[in-house]
Amino acid sequence: MHHTKTDSDATSVTTSSPTRSPPRRPAYYVQSPSHDGDKHLTTISFHSTPALLSPNGSPPHSHSSVGHHSRESSSTRFSGSLKPNGARKISPNDIAMKSFAKSWEKQFNSIEEEGLLEDDDLEKPIPRRCYVLGFVICFLILFFLFALILYGAAKPQKPNLTMKSIKFERFVIQAGSDSTGVATDMVTTNATVKFTFRNTATFFGLHVTSTPIDLSFSQITVGSGSMKKFYQSRKSQRLLTISVIGDKIPLYGSGQGINSLKGSPTSPVPLKLSFVVRSRGYVLGKLVKPKFYHRVECSVAYDPKKINVPMSLKNNCKFL
């Protein structure tokens, strides 16, 4: 006769029957890393075998409601009690925060990479030719400034020229004719001019030259002399003696204003002495070349009574 088991009977049978607790296998979980930037989902899996094992080690194949309930309760118990410390339920806010952090991290990494690239570009060594070119340019600039300073310092150091005296050894007027045969008065002159040249520069010498030293009467040159080129060292001076000579210079119509007796003038004869002294200094080779000019004009009067007597030119000359 078939009897239907009630819930009380099932409960009593379950309680009264001795149960053997099967050995539990250790629970474990697997956390899947996210491969997508927008979805950060964590999958946790637990595997346990709470079912009773047979003596041979194989699980029973009973599909009773008690076994199914036991599995669900054990699975729920394990899933609730064995969650790792870092695993929790993921909310939409967490997903949004992780997505924002991921995008910000990407931007930061790209900026950092760009900064590293820029640092690599900045740390590239400067070519040697750039150093050489910079050195040459700086040297030329400094050299030009130094030369300009020297030129400015040298310009005020103008040399001094002092006229001393003139002495006439001979001044004769006689009748004659020029190279074309025109009759006219002829003058012969022999005089000596003295002057001093002083270099006042403190750090360079001077190369000195001069135009011909002319002695003229009524715009006619009756005598001329030349000065040899010389070098004057710094802070020094020298006395120059120049011979002015004229031999049978035709006076043409200008000779009518000179009164003479036996070839010698009977009254003073106004004359003019003129020349230009040029001096040049060389500083730093020939890079800086200060130049100085002295244009000299002296009023001289030949006095027949002062033949072979030096006449002072101190107050009779002007420098232009």
Side-chain angles (χ1 to χ4, degrees):
M1 184 176 181
H2 180 73
H3 297 281
T4 306
K5 291 182 180 181
T6 62
D7 294 339
S8 62
D9 295 334
T11 305
S12 63
V13 170
T14 305
T15 307
S16 63
S17 62
T19 59
R20 295 173 59 185
S21 59
R24 295 178 180 178
R25 293 184 183 181
Y28 62 93
Y29 67 92
V30 177
Q31 183 173 358
S32 300
S34 62
H35 297 284
D36 194 355
D38 297 333
K39 295 181 180 181
H40 299 274
L41 300 178
T42 306
T43 304
I44 304 173
S45 300
F46 294 93
H47 299 273
S48 62
T49 309
L52 295 177
L53 296 175
S54 65
N56 294 329
S58 60
H61 299 279
S62 176
H63 297 281
S64 63
S65 61
V66 175
H68 180 72
H69 178 72
S70 176
R71 284 192 206 95
E72 288 179 355
S73 62
S74 63
S75 176
T76 304
R77 183 169 59 252
F78 274 103
S79 64
S81 61
L82 297 180
K83 286 183 180 180
N85 296 330
R88 62 184 180 86
K89 188 176 180 181
I90 299 173
S91 65
N93 292 333
D94 295 338
I95 295 175
M97 290 296 295
K98 288 182 180 180
S99 177
F100 174 75
K102 191 70 175 178
S103 61
W104 183 84
E105 184 178 359
K106 285 182 179 180
Q107 294 179 1
F108 179 77
N109 291 336
S110 63
I111 293 172
E112 187 176 9
E113 290 177 359
E114 291 178 359
L116 292 174
L117 291 175
E118 291 179 358
D119 292 341
D120 292 340
D121 294 338
L122 292 176
E123 291 177 359
K124 288 182 180 179
I126 301 176
R128 183 175 296 178
R129 60 184 179 181
C130 293
Y131 284 109
V132 175
L133 182 61
F135 175 78
V136 171
I137 292 175
C138 292
F139 177 78
L140 291 177
I141 292 174
L142 292 176
F143 190 74
F144 176 76
L145 290 176
F146 183 67
L148 190 62
I149 292 171
L150 288 179
Y151 180 79
K155 197 65 178 175
Q157 300 181 9
K158 188 175 182 180
N160 293 330
L161 186 67
T162 304
M163 300 301 299
K164 292 293 185 180
S165 63
I166 183 171
K167 181 178 67 174
F168 289 94
E169 289 88 9
R170 187 180 182 188
F171 193 89
V172 177
I173 298 176
Q174 57 187 5
S177 60
D178 60 6
S179 58
T180 60
V182 177
T184 182
D185 292 334
M186 314 286 288
V187 60
T188 299
T189 307
N190 191 357
T192 302
V193 177
K194 292 183 179 182
F195 62 91
T196 59
F197 182 89
R198 178 177 176 79
N199 182 12
T200 60
T202 57
F203 55 91
F204 61 90
L206 292 174
H207 299 267
V208 185
T209 58
S210 174
T211 60
I213 300 173
D214 294 333
L215 185 65
S216 60
F217 169 75
S218 186
Q219 298 181 355
I220 296 176
T221 301
V222 296
S224 181
S226 60
M227 183 187 73
K228 293 182 180 180
K229 181 180 178 180
F230 65 91
Y231 175 79
Q232 191 66 39
S233 59
R234 59 181 183 174
K235 303 295 289 185
S236 62
Q237 68 177 13
R238 69 174 60 193
L239 177 64
L240 299 170
T241 302
I242 309 298
S243 296
V244 179
I245 299 173
D247 185 22
K248 295 180 180 179
I249 305 299
L251 296 176
Y252 299 110
S254 299
Q256 298 178 359
I258 301 176
N259 297 321
S260 62
L261 179 62
K262 296 180 180 180
S264 179
T266 57
S267 61
V269 179
L271 302 172
K272 184 175 74 174
L273 185 69
S274 61
F275 62 99
V276 178
V277 175
R278 297 187 294 260
S279 56
R280 173 181 293 180
Y282 295 101
V283 184
L284 295 177
K286 291 186 178 181
L287 182 64
V288 180
K289 298 182 289 186
K291 300 177 183 179
F292 307 97
Y293 297 92
H294 289 84
R295 186 180 300 275
V296 183
E297 290 185 1
C298 301
S299 299
V300 181
Y302 168 71
D303 190 350
K305 298 178 180 179
K306 295 182 179 179
I307 193 71
N308 292 324
V309 176
M311 293 182 292
S312 178
L313 297 175
K314 184 177 180 179
N315 300 321
N316 298 333
C317 299
K318 56 183 179 181
F319 301 92
L320 304 176

